[in-house]
Amino acid sequence: LRLAADLFEHKAGESGPDGCKLLVREGCIFIVGATPEATGYAVAWLLQREAGVRWYAPGEIGEVIPGRSEWSLPDLNVVREPAYLSREIAGLETPDGRWWAMRNGLRSRLEFSHALNRVFPPACFTQHPEWSAALGGQRLRTTSADAQQGQPNLALPEVAEHAARTAAQAFAREPDRISFSLGINDTVRFDQSEATRKLVEPLRYFRGKPDYSPLVFTFMNRVADSLTETSANRYLGCLAYFWCENPPPFPVNRCVVPYVTTDRGQYYDAEYRLADLDLMSRWGASGVTTFGLWEYGYGQGFIVPREPCHAMTDAVREGWRRGARGYMADIGPQRGFDEFKVWILARVLWEPELSYEELADDFDRGYYGPAAGPMRRFLERCEEQWMTQSGPPFWLKYYQQEDQ
């Protein structure tokens, strides 16, 4: 035991929060995780690798535990850490879904989504009317904490100062917190005052939309510059979304973690895919320590099952190679069709270079059993139908549209 402890001491800071070590010697198993959750991921991985256990889908129907009269393990000395620090798939909020996510190693570690409506509640604008966006010469009246009401006036330094104070207070209250979200509200109602126009004009366009990245990331840099003076090793998450997808024409503070939002199911168009990979590369070179990928992987809302699984796993691999370490797939899985899509994403978020074909064979045999052949042909036909379509690509093409 002393020998194992000496070999296996886990030193603080030597891995991320989900890193772990596994040592098997002469039938003794030692597992040390950087956190309690990491220890659980290590146990689940060991059961999958050495005992053939699988959790293909939430609930009893997706659990496979082979019967064994005995179980022997080979000697192992393994260090494991996920490729992506933060790994999320939306639509798994049921008790069964949460258990499935845990057993398959999903865990949110970074904050990044719409948040300015909480950082700037209506009381802020009552006290500081000039913090409201000016639209058509009139101040926007913010009467509720609705993320679609409008953006604060992000051009004002005092707005960034308030955001920095709010983030610093959150970090002080929760010493273990590593990130705080300043994601823009879910609206394009930006300020139109002279201060904003100085930052965005002459107006550029990106993907057919006005490019307000100079405004949004001037705000993010101001907050981050202030925060790094008081809170080391803390990150500010945000969204590279809609009018601010493009990196700005200046370096972004290393503490900013932008989540780049794209419907990568549109990779059926080769030019769209290359443009998205180029966008990932440019964010990787923008000055940030890392960035995230927000994926629109919806299964629900489509008449023909939407199964661009090769494209989605390709994006995970390419993002990782370019420096992405956060991932969020907004899927809302369609039961009966999206189990493989979700399962393979969970696997490649840990190990991006796993073989797609081997994972597909594993899933088909283990989950569908005697129906493996027909189900694989059906899902491949759905994928082929999607990936060979004609017409221009655009976000959520055919979503909730009967003319699909």
Side-chain angles (χ1 to χ4, degrees), residues 167-179 231-235:
Q169 290 165 4
F171 289 129
R173 286 193 306 270
E174 304 173 57
D176 293 335
R177 175 195 281 263
I178 65 168
S179 66
S231 301
N233 301 318
R234 300 290 191 271
Y235 296 93

Side-chain angles (χ1 to χ4, degrees), residues 4-228:
D6 291 340
L7 288 172
F8 208 54
E9 180 185 0
H10 183 87
K11 297 180 177 62
E14 70 178 353
S15 69
D18 294 325
C20 60
K21 293 182 177 181
L22 301 96
L23 180 68
V24 180
R25 288 289 184 273
E26 298 179 0
C28 295
I29 304 172
F30 301 87
I31 298 176
V32 176
T35 60
E37 295 90 351
T39 302
Y41 301 147
V43 171
W45 175 81
L46 184 65
L47 290 172
Q48 292 180 76
R49 171 175 155 148
E50 299 298 337
V53 175
R54 294 289 186 274
W55 294 281
Y56 291 118
E60 184 178 349
I61 192 174
E63 183 176 70
V64 176
I65 304 178
R68 292 177 179 273
S69 58
E70 60 181 32
W71 186 35
S72 61
L73 289 172
D75 286 353
L76 293 173
N77 190 350
V78 177
V79 177
R80 275 181 57 78
E81 189 165 13
Y84 278 77
L85 169 68
S86 192
R87 308 165 302 282
E88 296 182 65
I89 297 178
L92 300 170
E93 288 75 30
T94 65
D96 282 344
R98 288 192 291 269
W99 274 106
W100 181 91
M102 182 185 70
R103 288 162 174 164
N104 283 281
L106 298 181
R107 176 61 190 262
S108 170
R109 293 287 184 186
L110 296 170
E111 299 180 23
F112 53 86
S113 196
H114 305 295
L116 292 185
N117 58 314
R118 296 187 295 276
V119 176
F120 296 90
C124 279
F125 302 112
T126 301
Q127 187 174 0
H128 302 282
E130 71 279 10
W131 291 7
S132 295
L135 301 174
Q138 301 292 321
R139 290 287 174 194
L140 179 68
R141 293 186 61 203
T142 303
T143 58
S144 72
D146 184 349
Q148 299 187 26
Q149 281 221 321
Q151 311 292 352
N153 187 345
L154 301 178
L156 298 180
E158 52 268 34
V159 168
E161 291 169 6
H162 171 80
R165 286 194 300 272
T166 304
Q169 290 165 4
F171 289 129
R173 286 193 306 270
E174 304 173 57
D176 293 335
R177 175 195 281 263
I178 65 168
S179 66
F180 183 83
S181 177
L182 292 174
I184 60 170
N185 294 330
D186 198 8
T187 176
V188 293
R189 302 175 79 186
F190 285 93
D191 176 70
Q192 298 173 346
S193 70
E194 183 179 357
T196 293
R197 292 173 61 187
K198 284 182 178 179
L199 291 172
V200 300
E201 292 181 352
L203 190 61
R204 303 180 304 168
Y205 288 82
F206 182 72
R207 287 181 172 169
K209 299 183 287 289
D211 186 356
Y212 271 46
S213 286
L215 168 67
V216 172
F217 289 97
T218 292
F219 163 75
M220 292 300 301
N221 277 353
R222 285 171 174 169
V223 178
D225 290 344
S226 176
L227 191 67
T228 51

